[in-house]
Every structure is written in C-alpha cells, then in structure tokens.
Amino acid sequence: MTRRPRSFLEMARYAAREAVRNRLAWIGAGVGLLLLGLYGWGLHAAVARLGTTGAAPGGTPDPAAALERQMLVQGFAPLALWLASLVGVALAAVLGAGATAGELEAQVALATLARPLSRAEWFLGKAFGVALVLTGVLGGLVLGVMGLTRLAAGVAPLAWSRAAALVLLEGWVTLAVALLLGTRLAPLATVVATVFLYGLSLVGEFLGFLAGFLSDGSRTLENLSTVLMLLFPASGLYARAANLMAGANPLAGMATGPLGGGASGPSGALTLWALGYLAAALAGGWALFRGREIG
Amino acid sequence: MSGAAAPAVEARGLTRRYGSKVALDGVDLAVPPGVVFGFLGPNGAGKSTLVRILLGLLPPDEGEARLFGRPAGRPEAREGVGFLPERFAYPGWMSGRELLEHHARLLGLPPARAREQAALALRRVGLEEAAGRRIRGYSKGMQQRLGLAVSLLGEPRLLVWDEPTSALDPLGRLLVRDLILEERRRGATVFLNSHLLGEVERVSDHVAVIDRGRLLRQGALADLLQRRLRVVVEAEPLEPPLLEALGRAGSLLAREGGRVELAVPDREALPVLARAVAEAGARLYRLEPRGETLEEFFVQALEEGRP
C-alpha cells in the first residue's frame, strides 16, 4: 500500500479510537440502550394487553387482533426510531465537533499536520473513522428498534431496512455538517450550530405537518417547510423513514404525527438531496480546512 | 534543485501579515544541511510564523519557502521532517507508546517497524517506564519529552524544534543538548528556535537573528562572533593620551579605574594596543582578548536593527 491510502486509513483508525474513547459517545450509547429497553418493555406490555383483549375464542388466529398489532407497530416503531435518530444526531454533533474543532482548538492537530499528510487525508480520514463509530452505535440502536419490534409484536415494521438506512443517512449528514463547522468554529459553537440547524429542520418538519391541516396559507407553510428541510435535511430523512414505516394505513400515518411530517411526508427526492448534501458538506469541510491556518 | 545538495531550509522574500501587523517582512534565509541552526529573536519577532510556514501550517502572503528543495506546504516536503511545536499538545486519551506508533504509521512505517521506532524514541527521551500510561497523566515536562520523541521518529533529515526546553528541568535540558549533538553526528539538520541564548550558543553552528519580521543577521556562529572581538586592557597609569591611542585601535566600550574594554576589528589589533601602552610609558598588567558572547551579539544586532 502506498503512503497516501495508508495515511488516510491511519487517520480513520485514530479518529475511530478517539470516538470510542469519548465519554460522551458512551453516554449517548447508554441513553440509546436505555430508551431501547423502555421501548421493548412498553411494546411488549402493549402487545400483551392486545393479546388479552383481542384474542378470538378458541385460540384461533384473530385477523382483527393481527391488524391491531400491525397498527400498534406502525404507530410505536416510528416513535422509537425517532428517539434513536435523536441519539444519533446528538452523537454525530458531539463526535464531529470533537474530531475537528476539538483537535484544532487543543492544538493536537499541529504535530499531526506537520507530518507528510495532506489536509484531505486528515479531514476525510477523520470523517471516515468517526462515521464508522457512529454507524456502529446508531446502526445498533436502529436495528435494535426493528429487532425488538419483531420480537415483542411478532411483526416487523414496514420498510424497516429502508427506514434504517434513512436514519443512518440522517446521522451521517449531521456528522458531515459538524465536521465542516468544526473546521472553523470552536467545539462548543460547533455542537450548538449543528443542533440549531437540526432544530430548524425539525421546525420545517412541524410546519409541513401543520400545512396538512390548513387550507389558507398552507402553500406558504409548505414552502417554508421545504426550505427548512432542504437547508438541513436531517430531520426530513427521519420523516421519510417514519412515513415508510407507517405505510398506506392513514391512521398509522397520522400516528407518526408532526415527527413524520404528516401523512404524506417528504418525497424520495429528499434522499437524493441528502446524499448530495452529505457529499457537499464533506467537500466544503475539506475546502475550508485546506485554507485554514493552523496553530 | 532538490535532494542532498539543496539547503535544508530555504526562504526567499517570505512575507506574512496579520492584518496591519507584518509578522515576516521579506525574509531570505538559507540553512545548510547537517548543521545546528539557532533561530533567535525576541517574543513576537516572527520566529514561530516562519516555522509554521516551513511546515505548511500557514501560507505566506509573498515569497516562497523550501525544505530540501521541495516547496514547503506540500506533504512530500515534510517527509523526513520531525517537528516539536512550542505549544505542544497531544491527545490525553492515548498512551505515549500509542501516540508514537500512530505518528510512525503516518510516516508510512509498517506496524512492526513503527513499534520498534516508537520504543527507540521513548528510550532516547527517557520515557520507557511511562510508555503505557495515558498522556493526560504526564507532567508538562514529560509531554515535552514525548514531543521530542515524536519528532525523532523515522530518523528525520530535518528537526524543527520550537523552544524545545521550555518545560524541562536542568536534566531535561542536558538531554536536549545531547540529542542535538547526536542528531548532528548522524547528519541531521537541527533548526532550533529558542530564547535561551546560552543553550543555542553551546550547540549551534549557524544562527540567524530576526526582529519585527526582518532578518537582521545570519551566518556561521564562529564567523559572526569573531567579527567583533573584545579586548580588556589593564594599564597604569591610564592617562588621556593613552586612552586616545587605545581608542584609535578600537572603540572604547567601558572604563573602570585602570581597566578599559575595547571592541576591535580583529586579533591584529592586539600588538597595536600593546605598543600603544609601551609608547605611552605605562605598565601593562593585562591584555585579554575575548570573543563576543551570543547574548552580546544578539543584543547588539537588535539595537543596530531597530530604528
């Protein structure tokens, strides 16, 4: 292997180890596991309750009970996924800020960047390493939601793999933005700015939900919602995931509530936008970092 | 020009401004390979700015810098360069050994060789026993030793040490002196950025003095200091005619009773001074030439360079 890929991989390895040793990462993972446990316990209790009230006489399969279980899953699983995505967003902001802003502020990057290492290898290597850790934690939580749902309710959430991929993409987009901002801002400012952007996207999602109820002026709200979700597509990706999981059932669709962006939810084009956004954020971060003065 | 024939460090017309403040003002510098180079200047003179430009951490506004003929700023120019920053900081979550192995791998060394180099560097700075401990538990002096070890990895051709003894005790300073001499013997170039003039004088072959972004002097230390020989003359009686005669051979720096100190152009002034004392009918008790110290040279260079 030539020096270039070796340097990239070494930076990725370093960043992954740094992220794994970050206490906040462990706290995030712990909170995620706790939420997962509560979700599993709650879903199990709800399904058991359905079981006692909805069983057909003689133990024969009751189509109504099965439908109830499905609806329960379609309503509960998106909420659990939202909690997982929230943990993912928080982790992405914290780990991303630590990987760039933290190292630059602490001057740790000084000795590393004096090595025969390009700025691209440093930045993209770190991005890759942190993304691996984030994918591990967030992927574990998301798959945990899906697995627990299947285990407790006997029914897998609809489009679970696509929904899981969208929530992972949400985490990566947030991470890329935190890495980008971290090339210029202090660590705390990076976290605050990233969370602020996420907040804007949540507001956009909520406005989209409201627009579904309004006849007058709903176009303005819809436009505003679209702009906010495009500005930072993180929360929109979750909304898309929630809508996929809710399926065609209108009641379940409503159950995703404002977090699901309403019954229709964002279109598939948002996924493409988010992929482009992710690439642009990484390219922008690299470009900003390349021009940054160190020390 | 690149490779062995090129200067280890070369700067031409290097200029850097921070807003209206000029940190470097058209600096021309050449450091021959294999020497210990002392880069001297008061606080805020532009020393660290120059170092950062050399290592590609900061772009110049004008001019260019090269390391062994390669344009500074490109990653390949930093191959074979070991750097100890003035404000050294290393990730507290790593152990000393892990940090060194990480840096060795960034140099492109395979894992086994990286481990070997890390162990060697730790031994050289006396940190073998602390190698497995987290860096956050290291004292400031230990961290600076660790920084020295990081810079020594991979047998660099050029070592850039920015205030390498700022956190070290006297034993640590001796260690740095020994390391410098060992590296010079190995053929490496050591670019030493330091306030400690005595330390620099002991080990440097070449020096440069910078102030307010302008390079005031540079050259071989022996040449620079010999240019300004000082002589102490003790004679009785030291009458005004004798003082006048002595003053013709050099410039009078100080007088105390029957003792005067003169700056003379070179050693040929010594017999002239002895003759002047004899011709004045005075008794000569002492005629002692002494080289200028680096500190004196430094202060003089700053005074002459300032408007």
Side-chain angles (χ1 to χ4, degrees), chain B residues 204-220:
Chain B
S204 296
D205 308 303
H206 282 60
V207 294
V209 179
I210 188 172
D211 186 31
R212 301 177 189 194
R214 286 183 304 117
L215 202 67
L216 303 176
R217 301 271 192 284
Q218 69 172 311

Side-chain angles (χ1 to χ4, degrees), chain B residues 80 107 113 117 120 151-158 183 186:
Chain B
L107 290 173
R113 185 138 163 67
Q117 281 282 315
L120 177 67
S151 72
L152 289 166
L153 287 166
E155 300 188 340
R157 286 197 293 169
L158 170 65
E183 289 301 301
R186 190 175 63 76

Side-chain angles (χ1 to χ4, degrees), chain B residues 112-291:
Chain B
R113 185 138 163 67
R115 275 195 297 276
E116 185 187 299
Q117 281 282 315
L120 177 67
L122 284 164
R123 197 161 51 242
R124 289 186 73 186
V125 300
L127 279 180
E128 311 102 301
E129 286 179 18
R133 275 167 49 192
R134 293 274 153 84
I135 296 171
R136 71 166 57 95
Y138 282 22
S139 69
K140 210 68 188 153
M142 288 167 81
Q143 288 195 32
Q144 193 159 35
R145 282 172 185 252
L146 186 65
L148 288 165
V150 167
S151 72
L152 289 166
L153 287 166
E155 300 188 340
R157 286 197 293 169
L158 170 65
L159 284 158
V160 180
W161 285 351
D162 200 350
E163 301 293 351
T165 56
S166 59
L168 296 181
D169 57 20
L171 284 178
R173 290 180 181 188
L174 282 175
L175 168 79
V176 170
R177 200 185 304 162
D178 289 345
L179 288 174
I180 290 170
L181 297 176
E182 281 170 23
E183 289 301 301
R184 179 169 57 186
R185 274 198 297 275
R186 190 175 63 76
T189 309
V190 184
F191 189 102
L192 202 54
N193 196 355
S194 177
H195 285 116
L196 300 175
L197 299 173
E199 213 170 73
V200 173
E201 188 173 3
R202 275 196 196 98
V203 293
S204 296
D205 308 303
H206 282 60
V207 294
V209 179
I210 188 172
D211 186 31
R212 301 177 189 194
R214 286 183 304 117
L215 202 67
L216 303 176
R217 301 271 192 284
Q218 69 172 311
L221 184 63
D223 292 347
L224 290 171
L225 296 186
Q226 267 185 11
R227 267 185 214 162
R228 304 174 60 85
L229 193 66
R230 290 180 177 220
V231 184
V232 175
V233 179
E234 265 184 49
E236 287 287 345
L238 200 54
E239 302 289 350
L242 175 54
L243 278 177
E244 211 173 287
L246 294 176
R248 280 196 293 275
S251 53
L252 196 65
L253 297 172
R255 181 189 172 180
E256 195 184 333
R259 177 181 173 277
V260 290
E261 189 173 348
L262 300 139
V264 295
D266 51 44
R267 58 203 293 269
E268 293 308 316
L270 294 175
V272 175
L273 292 171
R275 200 162 42 245
V277 173
E279 284 173 0
R283 292 180 302 279
L284 181 64
Y285 292 106
R286 185 178 174 198
L287 180 65
E288 182 190 336
R290 68 180 183 88

